[in-house]
Amino acid sequence: MKSSAINILKRYIVLLIGLSIMAFGIAFSIRASLGTSPISSVPYVISLFAPLTVGTVTIIMHVVFIVIQILILRKKYELIQLMQLPVAIFFGYLTDFAVWAVQGINYDNYLQQWVLCAIGILLVGFGVSLEVKSKAIVLAGEGVVLAVCQVCPKVKFGNMKVVFDVTLVATACILSFIFTGGLQGVREGTVAAALLVGQIAKQFGKLYKGWKL
């Protein structure tokens, strides 16, 4: 019993470390001004025209994702998944802290923007790999993807994840054009993040493949 409790604690510690690294990855991506990752594109765009921070919108968005999961799964929804809420709150506030922490970092040219963007992508990928490794609880966004896959077994997670990310980016673009009059938060860095984060997470996962929690 004690061993089980310790294992659960280890899993959540790894999860929180992963989320912390992801938050700073998002902050670097925002600072680079080359477009944020798909999952943070909507919160960032909304923060540009609403009196809300990126972290606050992130929390609200995750609450919506939790509701969507409940609507999709209904009686099949497991109450343990409500742990996504405190995780989302932690992640949201941490994202705001990370954005504040890196605000003093500046760039002078396009190459330096890409350096910041690359750091952001690398950190997000590393954070995602720890989130997956923890096997504690998934973020609400991935929870929606898993919920769809659960009710539609023929739909593969990878394919649904792509559809989900594209939907988020498209939503961010629409909101940006409507409320800011132009395209904000979605640029070449967004495409790079969409293509590379998963691969980076996979490579990091191989490094600690034999690490048991």
Side-chain angles (χ1 to χ4, degrees):
M1 191 73 175
K2 184 178 179 181
S3 177
S4 178
I6 292 175
N7 286 338
I8 291 174
L9 179 60
K10 285 181 179 179
R11 292 181 187 278
Y12 276 92
I13 289 175
V14 171
L15 173 64
L16 295 181
I17 292 173
L19 294 179
S20 301
I21 294 171
M22 285 173 61
F24 273 89
I26 290 171
F28 270 98
S29 296
I30 290 174
R31 197 62 188 162
S33 300
L34 289 179
T36 63
S37 59
I39 193 64
S40 57
S41 59
V42 172
Y44 176 70
V45 169
I46 292 178
S47 73
L48 295 178
F49 63 82
L52 299 169
T53 64
V54 175
T56 300
V57 182
T58 296
I59 294 171
I60 294 171
M61 186 176 73
H62 279 73
V63 170
V64 172
F65 288 158
I66 291 171
V67 173
I68 291 174
Q69 290 175 62
I70 295 173
L71 293 176
I72 292 174
L73 295 174
R74 300 187 182 186
K75 292 182 179 180
K76 293 181 179 180
Y77 183 78
E78 299 177 354
L79 291 180
I80 186 63
Q81 296 304 320
L82 287 176
M83 281 297 295
Q84 291 173 353
L85 181 56
V87 168
I89 293 172
F90 173 83
F91 185 54
Y93 280 115
L94 196 61
T95 299
D96 279 343
F97 171 76
V99 170
W100 170 83
V102 304
Q103 65 181 339
I105 300 176
N106 298 306
Y107 55 81
D108 296 317
N109 52 57
Y110 188 61
L111 177 59
Q112 291 178 2
Q113 284 181 271
W114 266 112
V115 171
L116 294 178
C117 185
I119 292 173
I121 291 173
L122 186 66
L123 290 176
V124 171
F126 184 26
V128 168
S129 71
L130 290 176
E131 177 198 350
V132 173
K133 183 64 180 179
S134 73
K135 295 180 181 178
I137 198 84
V138 296
L139 287 174
E142 280 73 28
V144 171
V145 177
L146 289 170
V148 173
C149 293
Q150 186 175 334
V151 297
C152 303
K154 292 184 179 181
V155 178
K156 293 183 178 180
F157 178 85
N159 295 335
M160 188 60 213
K161 175 63 173 169
V162 171
V163 172
F164 181 74
D165 286 347
V166 169
T167 301
L168 289 177
V169 172
T171 301
C173 291
I174 293 171
L175 291 173
S176 181
F177 277 115
I178 292 175
F179 292 100
T180 72
L183 186 59
Q184 304 287 340
V186 178
R187 285 185 54 180
E188 55 269 41
T190 306
V191 177
L195 293 174
L196 297 175
V197 166
Q199 295 301 316
I200 291 172
K202 186 184 298 184
Q203 294 305 314
F204 272 117
K206 291 179 180 179
L207 293 178
Y208 36 74
K209 191 175 182 180
W211 179 29
K212 295 182 179 180
L213 289 176

